[in-house]
Amino acid sequence: MSTKRSKNADQPVLPLDMTEPELKRRVSAFDALGFQATVEALHDEIRELYTADDVPWIIGYSGGKDSTAVLQLVWSAIEGLPEEERRKTVHVISTDTLVENPVVASWVSQSLEVMKGMAKNQNLPIRPHRLTPEISNTFWVNLIGRGYPAPRHKFRWCTERLKIRPSNTFINGIVKTSGEAILVLGTRKAESVRRAANMKKHEKGRLRDRLSPNSSLPGSLVYTPVEDWTNDDVWMFLMQVKNPWGYNNRDLLGMYAGASADGECPLVVDSSTPSCGDSRFGCWVCTLVEQDKSMTAMIQNDEEKEWMMPLLDLRNSLDFRSSDPNGDPENTDRHLRDFRRMTGAVNVMAGGRPIPGPYTQQSREEWLRKLLSAQTHIRKHGPPDVRKIELITPEELREIRRIWIVDKHEMEDLLPKIFEEATGEPYEGEALDDDLVLGASEMQELKAICGDDRLHYELARELLSKTRQQRNTAKRAGLFDQLEKTFSKHFYDNEEDAIGRANRLVDEKRRLKDNAAYSGLRVAEDDETTYGEEKI
């Protein structure tokens, strides 16, 4: 049989004509010993590894089929040990991005609570943990607060903040306390050719047994007990073996049956792990895929899931893709974004096209209004179990309000008004310092003075904001530098004027570089107006 070798010499030789579906249909891991003997052998292996040292274990649990199978194996194996040998803690961590598919998020949250109680009743050292991103890193704080555009392949800002950091922070904390940790993951070679090659590569560095090194998390080893199982093996195990913490695996199968047939969302600990956008159950706001197939299928297959339609509509409105074959498929939301970057710099591409920055104030306010309206609709018309759903938390709203007023100098303080209009309820956030905002009448008067000149209105507003913020500050060091940066950001007549200046500066820089190269001199880079990539 012909084979192909990867450019990376460390990757295994794979059949030339092997496709991913064929890889998933490989021989069952139960063929050699039989189902029961294979499971018992794994239980023995887990017990041997568990009792070999005092290194704590961390199981990545997403609530999907693979992580459920792994947790069941570990749970049952430890349950079979004498109580005096159950001496070290097994942490079960599940990362909630706060924008998970609500059905899956509810399943996982309830499962963690149930297993916490069952572990206590059975005197097992299993400790479930629900991890969430820091408020400053959540999806809505970044998108609605700071104005980050919806994630795209050229600017994939979500995975690191929502998934990797919470998991890595927890794991590094365990390593710092114990000196080492063993990560128990449900990754399998049958998931994809790429995954099989990556796992094969790490097998070469195994120190003992099936413990592989983890290059992204020093001090941790990885154990993958179901690495050779196929999809069918996983489901056979889950249907044949009772869930030890009392959950019904047939309900899990039903949840999968309600959507398309991709993989589950894994524990993400590094950027090489597929994000939820590439997997079965991911974030409902994900724009890294062209369509949320799982949510769409859930709605189509179950009338009781129609309450999720507002979520799907909002996700689709966030999608930046264009149907124009001649357009940039990742930049069709330009009309919603500022022509300046976060720093105020105006950057252009080689052809003179501007690189858009963050969402404008108007766009961010509209995203908030749509999100709160969707939440209100679901609470009023959804089934009883979602009547208290929080698409955005009060803590996130407070942080967004702070960013708008303090960081972006939007002194109108419109968040409470938007909240009340979208929900019909009073906003219960805390009162702000009078130095941070102006009254509605004052802001209207300022707008009237500036007329239709948006940039000069923003200039006057930001100058007022910065001086008022420092009114009660004893030291005003750096104030003049801040004011100078404010003038640099807003001095343009309009967007066309800003882009024209940027292109002229780029042309001048190119001319100076050409002359310098001819003369053998070196010209310093201009940080304010340059070619750039899709960032903010």
Side-chain angles (χ1 to χ4, degrees):
M1 179 172 57
S2 59
T3 60
K4 59 181 177 179
R5 179 172 294 277
S6 168
K7 294 180 180 179
N8 185 341
D10 291 333
Q11 292 184 356
V13 177
L14 298 172
L16 185 61
D17 55 352
M18 179 179 283
T19 63
E20 292 194 19
E22 289 171 334
L23 184 65
K24 294 179 180 179
R25 293 194 297 269
R26 292 187 305 176
V27 177
S28 169
F30 305 138
D31 285 351
L33 300 178
F35 176 78
Q36 193 63 40
T38 301
V39 172
E40 290 177 358
L42 265 177
H43 283 161
D44 291 339
E45 177 182 280
I46 291 169
R47 293 188 189 105
E48 182 178 352
L49 285 172
Y50 177 83
T51 57
D53 50 46
D54 295 324
V55 179
W57 283 20
I58 302 173
I59 300 179
Y61 177 70
S62 68
K65 65 182 190 305
D66 296 336
S67 60
T68 299
V70 166
L71 181 55
Q72 282 196 199
L73 285 167
V74 174
W75 188 298
S76 298
I78 297 177
E79 188 179 13
L81 288 171
E83 289 195 15
E84 63 271 14
E85 294 187 28
R86 305 172 187 173
R87 64 180 184 274
K88 66 181 184 182
T89 303
V90 175
H91 300 281
V92 179
I93 63 173
S94 180
T95 304
D96 184 351
T97 63
L98 302 180
V99 282
E100 299 290 327
N101 180 307
V103 173
V104 181
S106 177
W107 168 274
V108 174
S109 179
Q110 293 177 25
S111 181
L112 292 174
E113 289 300 316
V114 171
M115 70 175 65
K116 184 184 297 184
M118 187 61 70
K120 183 177 180 180
N121 292 339
Q122 297 179 1
N123 196 26
L124 294 174
I126 297 176
R127 305 289 181 265
H129 306 270
R130 175 178 171 268
L131 309 180
T132 57
E134 295 181 359
I135 290 300
S136 61
N137 287 329
T138 67
F139 184 85
W140 296 120
V141 166
N142 279 289
L143 188 138
I144 296 177
R146 296 187 177 92
Y148 282 24
R152 58 207 70 201
H153 295 289
K154 292 181 181 179
F155 186 39
R156 191 172 183 158
W157 55 265
C158 53
T159 306
E160 165 70 22
R161 291 172 171 83
L162 305 185
K163 280 287 193 181
I164 296 178
R165 289 186 190 177
S167 299
N168 286 7
T169 298
F170 183 91
I171 295 168
N172 288 330
I174 297 297
V175 171
K176 184 178 180 180
T177 302
S178 304
E180 196 174 8
I182 293 176
L183 307 183
V184 188
L185 306 179
T187 50
R188 296 179 297 107
K189 295 174 183 176
E191 292 178 72
S192 69
V193 173
R194 180 181 178 185
R195 175 58 61 85
N198 190 49
M199 294 179 72
K200 192 72 176 178
K201 175 182 176 181
H202 284 90
E203 284 178 9
K204 297 181 179 180
R206 284 180 172 172
L207 304 177
R208 60 182 175 87
D209 304 309
R210 280 206 278 178
L211 299 181
S212 302
N214 189 325
S215 57
S216 63
L217 290 169
S220 62
L221 297 172
V222 177
Y223 175 41
T224 50
V226 297
E227 61 186 14
D228 294 319
W229 288 21
T230 65
N231 286 339
D232 290 341
D233 291 341
V234 175
W235 283 119
M236 180 179 180
F237 172 78
L238 292 176
M239 294 300 104
Q240 294 291 326
V241 179
K242 183 179 179 181
N243 186 300
W245 60 89
Y247 244 42
N248 190 339
N249 288 339
R250 294 194 178 278
D251 291 339
L252 176 64
L253 177 61
M255 189 165 62
Y256 269 83
S260 59
D262 291 321
E264 68 175 293
C265 176
L267 171 70
V268 180
V269 295
D270 58 53
S271 57
S272 68
T273 305
S275 86
C276 291
D278 295 327
S279 54
R280 182 62 157 48
F281 299 122
C283 302
W284 66 268
V285 292
C286 185
T287 49
L288 293 172
V289 292
E290 293 187 6
Q291 182 185 12
D292 188 335
K293 295 180 180 180
S294 63
M295 182 175 288
T296 301
M298 284 182 175
I299 295 172
Q300 292 176 345
N301 297 337
D302 189 347
E303 291 183 358
E304 294 182 358
K305 298 293 192 303
E306 289 184 356
W307 60 267
M308 291 195 292
M309 272 303 301
L311 305 185
L312 192 61
D313 291 341
L314 180 54
R315 181 264 166 210
N316 290 339
S317 68
L318 282 170
D319 201 330
F320 46 81
R321 291 172 179 81
S322 171
S323 58
D324 180 6
N326 299 318
D328 183 346
E330 296 216 349
N331 274 330
T332 57
D333 56 356
R334 286 176 176 269
H335 62 291
L336 302 176
R337 297 166 62 182
D338 202 320
F339 63 90
R340 297 158 294 190
R341 310 295 276 271
M342 284 284 194
T343 62
V346 179
N347 294 161
V348 294
M349 298 295 285
R353 186 178 59 182
I355 301 173
Y359 286 132
T360 62
Q361 178 181 358
Q362 182 179 357
S363 299
R364 288 181 278 108
E365 291 171 357
E366 187 59 27
W367 289 133
L368 178 61
R369 187 172 285 107
K370 288 182 177 180
L371 178 63
L372 291 171
S373 296
Q375 176 176 283
T376 302
H377 177 85
I378 294 172
R379 287 182 172 183
K380 287 182 178 179
H381 304 288
D385 58 333
V386 297
R387 292 290 173 89
K388 294 183 179 181
I389 191 171
E390 279 190 343
L391 300 183
I392 184 170
T393 66
E395 293 78 15
E396 289 177 288
L397 288 170
R398 284 197 292 270
E399 178 62 9
I400 290 171
R401 188 186 186 194
R402 186 201 67 77
I403 291 172
W404 284 6
I405 295 171
V406 178
D407 297 347
K408 292 186 175 294
H409 309 287
E410 294 166 359
M411 301 174 70
E412 300 91 342
D413 189 22
L414 294 178
L415 187 144
K417 179 182 179 182
I418 294 172
F419 181 90
E420 292 171 5
E421 291 175 349
T423 66
E425 301 174 358
Y427 178 69
E428 297 181 353
E430 57 192 26
L432 295 176
D433 190 324
D434 290 339
D435 287 338
L436 298 179
V437 296
L438 288 176
S441 59
E442 288 88 345
M443 296 306 297
Q444 288 297 327
E445 186 172 347
L446 180 60
K447 282 186 176 181
I449 293 173
C450 296
D452 296 330
D453 194 333
R454 178 175 67 88
L455 293 182
H456 289 173
Y457 167 73
E458 291 176 354
L459 169 62
R461 182 183 63 183
E462 186 165 327
L463 291 172
L464 280 170
S465 175
K466 287 187 174 180
T467 53
R468 287 172 67 89
Q469 285 181 20
Q470 294 209 13
R471 176 180 294 180
N472 298 322
T473 303
K475 293 183 179 180
R476 300 192 179 185
L479 174 60
F480 291 110
D481 289 338
Q482 292 183 38
L483 297 180
E484 184 177 351
K485 289 180 180 179
T486 298
F487 279 111
S488 298
K489 181 178 180 180
H490 300 286
F491 82 96
Y492 307 106
D493 291 335
N494 48 46
E495 181 176 346
E496 290 72 22
D497 175 39
I499 296 171
R501 289 172 182 269
N503 279 307
R504 288 194 294 273
L505 284 173
V506 169
D507 292 340
E508 179 64 15
K509 185 199 302 186
R510 187 184 296 115
R511 184 184 66 80
L512 290 174
K513 283 187 174 181
D514 291 342
N515 291 339
Y518 179 78
S519 305
L521 301 176
R522 184 175 182 275
V523 178
E525 291 289 337
D526 180 356
D527 292 332
E528 287 301 309
T529 308
T530 61
Y531 299 136
E533 297 178 353
E534 177 63 41
K535 292 184 180 178
I536 53 169

